[in-house]
Amino acid sequence: LTTISELKGLKLFLVSLSFVYFAKAFGGSYMKSSVTQIERRFDIPSSLIGVIDGSFEIGNLLVIAFVSYFGAKLHRPRLIGIGCLIMAAGAFLTALPHFFQGQYVYETTLSHIPEENSTESILPCLANTSHLVINDLSTAATCEKEAGSSMWIYVFLGNMLRGIGETPVMPLGVSYLDDYARKENTAIYLACLQTVGILGPVFGFMFGSFCAKIYVDIGSVDLESISINHKDSRWVGAWWLGFLVSGFLMLLAGIPFWFLPNTLAKHSSDTPEVEPEQGSFIPEDNTEEDAPQPVTMAAMAKDFAPSLKRLFSNKVYLLIILTSVVAFNGFIGMITFKPKFMEQVYGQSPSKAIFLIGSMNLPAVAVGVIVGGLVMKRFKLSVLGAARLSIVSSFLSFSTLLPLSPRATEVSYQQESLLSQCNMGCSCSLKHWDPVCARNGITYASPCLAGCQTSTGVGKEMEFHNCTCMQELKGGLMAPPTNMSAILGQCPRKSDCDRMFKFYMAVSVLGAFVSACGGTSGYIVLLRSIHPDLKSLALGMHTLIGRTLGGIPPPIYFGALIDRTCLKWGLKRCGGQGACRFYDSHAFRITFLGLVYCLYGLANLLWGVLYLQLSKRQKKLELRSQAKATALEANGNNNPNGHAMVSIFKNKDDLDRDNESTI
């Protein structure tokens, strides 16, 4: 009965931990899908968005070393439950600014002043500028309040709080499973966790796509009066809604952990002893771990520094850390700005880009994780075998990145050439961005600069007429300006851009699947390359360093370099530079993909170095085993009673020290 109860406890822990993985991944992916909406809502550049996105890793940095070390010796399930409460509080804090900010006022110079007994409006090319109403001008009091308000700080702090709460989940949860599950089942359990964790981003990105189409002030404004749609670079979706949902999910996910035991019965493996090719690097020695020994906080604190020294004297562990940091840099930078890449290079709307990532890329990742776990279990791969699987998947996924740089549609924007004879008397502003699409397929920065005299309709249905600056291509030459009509919004990209985008998505999905096949094996290499009593600390330090060096910097320097490709910056309500409205698509593509190529290429080189070190370690273990067997055989022949033994190592501590310094 005890065994059945303990088995149920392990299964309950696995199911509960899977739900936490889902909930935290949902919140994290929703944050990634909302960066464009947050950037526009708070009128901040991409580099500052990178800082906000990196605050999650900053939260991890603050506490993960202590949680991983002290938490391993305390009640691990309850610590995970506390983490869920903190993550929920962080999600609610992130959504808080929406309820304190006023209504979103997007940048526009359009006015809607209907003439008497007419369906037309006086717009916007007017010699008498007194008729022009600029919607983004505010009173001095409003501007003063706006200038002193930095509501994005709440988003920063809420994301940081989510990072603090997420800290105990991975190191304590994975080490708890590995401690009480059969060794041959660890890989498939990890694959299950990662697969369910992948479902979180699938739903997170799809819910982010849904919210991106809902206007930010839904329920408090007349949507018929809004003159922009979700494809416009000034549109802001209901970014706050998903954080409320993720907060409630985290509250539910933490409940079971308050009722789970601190320890479970250990399950011995049913498989026979394996050869060195299929075994772990460190000899199993569970004699000191049969029953948990009472510990005090003082004893744990005293042992913390020596444990860190033992951990970082492990060469393989250091190589794993370095490889992970470089790979994290490439992955975090890519996933943070991938929706914007799809928007700027291929002309996709933010909501569609987010939806495609959630519905195509992430399911491919989930399938890849399952396949990788099944391969590990089916072939009983050793550490070397797991490393080979990770290297092959990493190299193949990098190869799929190479064809992802087709030459997309080029769009130019020269502010000094916007004024011409046809709009000279219109008193147009060069600072504002009100794009309109003409019948000739050319996008103009505003209806005023297009020379449009009148308009019909309101909101999104507005059309502009008698536009004197619009030229049409005839016989390879631009014809003189003629009167044309235009509609709100930028013109769609050409059909060849759509074909290139389909190719991009197909290759991107294939690369996501191949890369995920090596995810589980990479964790196995980490778990089997450290001493059992350092497992939680090693996982925690791996997460700490990975989040610090691989999670915080990439969004910042990716965003800063992307900002340099901006051609047209928006304006804040009371002046000053806001969010970018328009990028140089060619420069954006070169910058974004160049960074990804360099980082993933370096990660592949480091995987090669790591594999050489693992091979060297394996050969040492095999030679040591052969020498020990030969010595025992010789002693047995010389002394039939078996009382004499040849000492190969000075003592057990010497063996452990050698293991940890050469793994």
Side-chain angles (χ1 to χ4, degrees):
L1 292 177
T2 303
T3 304
I4 295 176
S5 176
E6 296 289 352
L7 184 60
K8 288 182 178 179
L10 182 64
K11 289 184 177 180
L12 177 60
F13 183 85
L14 178 62
V15 172
S16 303
L17 189 63
S18 298
F19 187 31
V20 173
Y21 265 64
F22 172 85
K24 76 182 185 67
F26 178 92
S29 60
Y30 184 83
M31 180 69 194
K32 294 290 185 186
S33 70
S34 300
V35 293
T36 299
Q37 312 302 322
I38 294 173
E39 176 182 342
R40 294 172 181 175
R41 183 63 183 95
F42 297 99
D43 267 326
I44 52 179
S46 296
S47 55
L48 185 52
I49 273 292
V51 175
I52 294 174
D53 187 68
S55 62
F56 181 87
E57 279 71 31
I58 295 175
N60 268 262
L61 169 66
L62 295 176
V63 297
I64 194 168
F66 300 99
V67 168
S68 301
Y69 179 70
F70 293 108
K73 304 175 186 299
L74 301 174
H75 200 297
R76 286 180 282 185
R78 288 182 184 172
L79 286 177
I80 295 175
I82 293 173
C84 291
L85 288 177
I86 297 175
M87 279 191 281
F92 293 139
L93 180 61
T94 303
L96 195 61
H98 171 74
F99 301 98
F100 290 100
Q101 284 181 303
Q103 291 185 358
Y104 173 58
V105 180
Y106 54 89
E107 171 193 354
T108 181
T109 59
L110 301 181
S111 64
H112 317 298
I113 309 175
E115 290 184 343
E116 293 183 4
N117 302 324
S118 173
T119 58
E120 294 190 347
S121 301
I122 302 175
L123 271 170
C125 179
L126 299 171
N128 183 5
T129 56
S130 63
H131 291 286
L132 183 62
V133 178
I134 301 179
N135 293 346
D136 64 325
L137 292 182
S138 305
T139 63
T142 305
C143 284
E144 183 178 351
K145 181 179 179 181
E146 179 90 2
S149 174
S150 299
M151 300 294 285
W152 60 266
I153 293 178
Y154 288 93
V155 182
F156 177 91
L157 294 176
N159 205 35
M160 180 186 292
L161 204 58
R162 282 199 316 110
I164 293 174
E166 194 264 354
T167 303
V169 176
M170 196 281 289
L172 301 187
V174 172
S175 63
Y176 191 93
L177 273 181
D178 195 53
D179 283 346
Y180 301 113
R182 292 186 175 91
K183 296 302 179 184
E184 65 269 18
N185 291 334
T186 301
I188 196 65
Y189 286 165
L190 290 178
C192 289
L193 281 178
Q194 293 181 18
T195 302
V196 175
I198 291 299
L199 293 178
V202 171
F203 285 91
F205 273 98
M206 295 184 73
F207 193 71
S209 174
F210 171 75
C211 292
K213 290 185 178 181
I214 303 175
Y215 191 64
V216 60
D217 294 317
I218 183 72
S220 59
V221 297
D222 180 13
L223 297 181
E224 296 297 326
S225 65
I226 304 298
S227 62
I228 57 176
N229 59 26
H230 67 277
K231 297 181 180 179
D232 196 285
S233 61
R234 295 163 293 173
W235 175 273
V236 175
W239 61 273
W240 51 273
L241 186 58
F243 292 109
L244 296 181
V245 174
S246 67
F248 284 116
L249 282 176
M250 289 311 310
L251 285 177
L252 292 175
I255 294 175
F257 291 95
W258 298 97
F259 305 99
L260 285 165
N262 185 29
T263 59
L264 295 172
K266 293 192 175 184
H267 298 284
S268 59
S269 177
D270 293 335
T271 58
E273 196 70 26
V274 292
E275 297 297 325
E277 171 62 15
Q278 296 179 342
S280 65
F281 279 150
I282 298 181
E284 296 294 336
D285 184 11
N286 295 327
T287 56
E288 300 177 4
E289 302 178 15
D290 290 335
Q293 298 298 322
V295 292
T296 63
M297 293 296 293
M300 289 189 292
K302 184 178 180 181
D303 191 49
F304 181 67
S307 296
L308 278 180
K309 182 178 180 181
R310 290 171 57 205
L311 183 62
F312 285 103
S313 64
N314 188 327
K315 295 179 183 178
V316 166
Y317 182 73
L318 291 177
L319 279 172
I320 292 173
I321 291 288
L322 184 59
T323 305
S324 299
V325 164
V326 176
F328 285 168
N329 270 261
F331 174 76
I332 296 297
M334 180 177 67
I335 198 64
T336 301
F337 294 103
K338 189 173 184 177
K340 181 172 285 191
F341 172 79
M342 295 163 67
E343 176 188 358
Q344 297 299 324
V345 176
Y346 295 101
Q348 306 299 313
S349 67
S351 59
K352 183 178 179 181
I354 295 166
F355 176 81
L356 290 174
I357 293 174
S359 61
M360 298 182 68
N361 287 81
L362 295 177
V365 172
V367 175
V369 170
I370 294 174
V371 170
L374 292 176
V375 169
M376 288 286 298
K377 183 174 177 64
R378 170 65 178 82
F379 296 100
K380 295 183 174 61
L381 296 180
S382 67
V383 184
L384 275 182
R388 282 194 288 265
L389 179 58
S390 294
I391 291 172
V392 170
S393 65
S394 178
F395 178 76
L396 291 178
S397 63
F398 174 70
S399 300
T400 61
L401 290 173
L402 299 179
L404 294 185
S405 185
R407 194 170 184 81
T409 305
E410 300 270 345
V411 183
S412 61
Y413 179 89
Q414 293 86 27
Q415 184 158 301
E416 62 276 4
S417 65
L418 295 179
L419 292 176
S420 60
Q421 191 66 33
C422 60
N423 58 26
M424 194 63 69
C426 293
S427 302
C428 299
S429 170
L430 294 178
K431 296 180 179 179
H432 294 90
W433 179 250
D434 277 311
V436 292
C437 178
R439 189 180 64 192
N440 57 11
I442 298 176
T443 299
Y444 292 82
S446 71
C448 182
L449 290 169
C452 300
Q453 307 294 323
T454 60
S455 72
T456 58
V458 294
K460 303 180 185 68
E461 306 302 323
M462 188 179 296
E463 292 188 15
F464 304 91
H465 309 285
N466 301 323
C467 303
T468 59
C469 294
M470 296 180 177
Q471 296 175 286
E472 198 163 11
L473 188 64
K474 293 182 178 179
L477 299 174
M478 295 300 292
T482 58
N483 290 343
M484 286 187 185
S485 61
I487 59 175
L488 276 174
Q490 294 178 240
C491 295
R493 302 293 176 93
K494 296 179 181 179
S495 58
D496 59 338
C497 190
D498 289 334
R499 290 195 299 270
M500 288 188 292
F501 179 69
K502 291 176 182 177
F503 171 76
Y504 164 80
M505 284 304 302
V507 177
S508 177
V509 169
L510 177 62
F513 167 78
V514 174
S515 177
C517 287
T520 303
S521 57
Y523 264 108
I524 293 299
V525 173
L526 174 61
L527 289 172
R528 297 293 177 263
S529 299
I530 52 180
H531 200 277
D533 66 343
L534 297 177
K535 194 179 302 178
S536 292
L537 180 62
L539 289 170
M541 295 306 298
H542 177 265
T543 305
L544 166 65
I545 298 173
R547 291 279 170 81
T548 305
L549 302 180
I552 298 175
I556 298 174
Y557 66 76
F558 266 74
L561 292 174
I562 286 173
D563 281 340
R564 297 177 66 88
T565 68
C566 183
L567 295 176
K568 177 67 178 75
W569 289 97
L571 290 177
K572 293 185 178 181
R573 291 176 60 187
C574 304
Q577 179 177 294
C580 184
R581 304 299 185 199
F582 189 69
Y583 292 88
D584 181 338
S585 60
H586 176 67
F588 189 105
R589 183 178 69 253
I590 295 300
T591 301
F592 180 78
L593 291 180
L595 286 170
V596 174
Y597 291 161
C598 292
L599 291 169
Y600 273 97
L602 180 58
N604 276 276
L605 290 176
L606 290 172
W607 261 117
V609 176
L610 175 60
Y611 182 76
L612 291 177
Q613 185 67 29
L614 289 170
S615 300
K616 181 180 177 182
R617 170 59 182 157
Q618 182 69 23
K619 290 179 181 178
K620 284 185 177 180
L621 286 176
E622 290 176 353
L623 291 174
R624 182 178 299 158
S625 298
Q626 292 175 2
K628 186 175 182 180
T630 302
L632 289 173
E633 183 179 357
N635 283 337
N637 293 334
N638 294 332
N639 188 352
N641 293 327
H643 296 300
M645 293 290 294
V646 175
S647 177
I648 299 176
F649 300 99
K650 294 179 181 178
N651 50 48
K652 178 180 179 294
D653 292 337
D654 188 36
L655 172 60
D656 289 342
R657 187 163 52 251
D658 185 66
N659 281 332
E660 294 169 6
S661 64
T662 57
I663 290 176

